[in-house]
Amino acid sequence: MELVNGKEIMQKALDGHYGIGAFNYVNIETLKSILDTAEEKGSPVIVQCSTGAIKYAGVDTLVAICRSYAKNMTVPVCLNLDHGQTFEDCKKCIDAGFTNVMIDASHLPYEENIALTRKVVEYAHERGVTVEAEIGVLAGVEDEVSASEDDARYTDPKQAYDFVKATGVDSLAIAIGTSHGTVKFKGEAKLRFDILEQVEKLLPNFPIVLHGASSIPQDMVKLAEEYGAVLKGAKGIPETMLREACSHNVCKINVDSDLRLSFTAGIRKHLTENPDNVDMRKYNQAGMELIKKVVADKMDNVFGSTNMAR
């Protein structure tokens, strides 16, 4: 199957009242684990690369391996740029074959965010590519994106409405209390569903995105720590909150840290138990199996996307 754009995959999720996982990948192992699980579960899926992943592996390589796997799949796959910072970031990915791009100019003054987002939208739409943007700033660190708790700010619903109308963007990431990284909360987890509900009222039937939405499964934290990892305070978004978000108009939920955590836990366990092994295929496979377990759980029990593409 050919790669689909964001509008095609997210509108069906809105209509069906389920969420779609947007899973980050940096190599064949992470991508294959995600796509194999999506096919097995009959779930639509978004796979995405950050600018850091592109520097690591190369944009043409990342597109080529995604297309190679997706062409043999029966479920829809969207390829997204995660947190593009500049017009050039987005243009490079559009030209290379991405079907959705995110321009994250949320750190800029509001009018500059509008101007840059509109420029990306115009270039992308002329080429059949859809665009995600962001209003509000998430705390935490992910690859080349970072903000302190003091710099983080919630999305203003009225501003979100005005922004969508001014830019023509296809989906919008909002800040309601999620954050990047493995330590998302120091105290009790809290998401501003009141903000989400206000955005939903102002922008009915419009795709909303949650970034920094890994749940940091504690069984994976425990496994990784058992084999030497140091993950003090690792805590994510409760899955009950993510399920509630999917009952609104949140139809794209980003997951990165959970994949890193599970892959690392599997490799640590395998190498500790098999100190004589130098075959990277074997220890990578151990990590891949745990990625698949995490992705399957999200599709079955959190996003509700299992069998939605059958």
Side-chain angles (χ1 to χ4, degrees), residues 139-153:
V141 178
E142 179 185 26
D143 280 358
E144 299 176 331
V145 178
S146 65
S148 69
E149 289 187 13
D150 291 338
D151 291 332
R153 59 181 182 271

Side-chain angles (χ1 to χ4, degrees), residues 202-250:
L202 290 170
L203 293 167
N205 202 37
F206 185 83
I208 298 301
V209 179
L210 286 187
H211 284 245
S214 283
S215 56
I216 314 296
Q218 291 303 297
D219 59 337
M220 294 297 169
V221 172
K222 183 178 179 180
L223 181 64
E225 290 183 327
E226 182 180 348
Y227 290 96
V230 179
L231 299 167
K232 187 177 181 180
K235 184 165 98 175
I237 311 298
E239 292 186 346
T240 53
M241 291 184 176
L242 296 176
R243 282 195 290 272
E244 183 177 348
C246 291
S247 71
H248 294 276
N249 56 348
V250 172

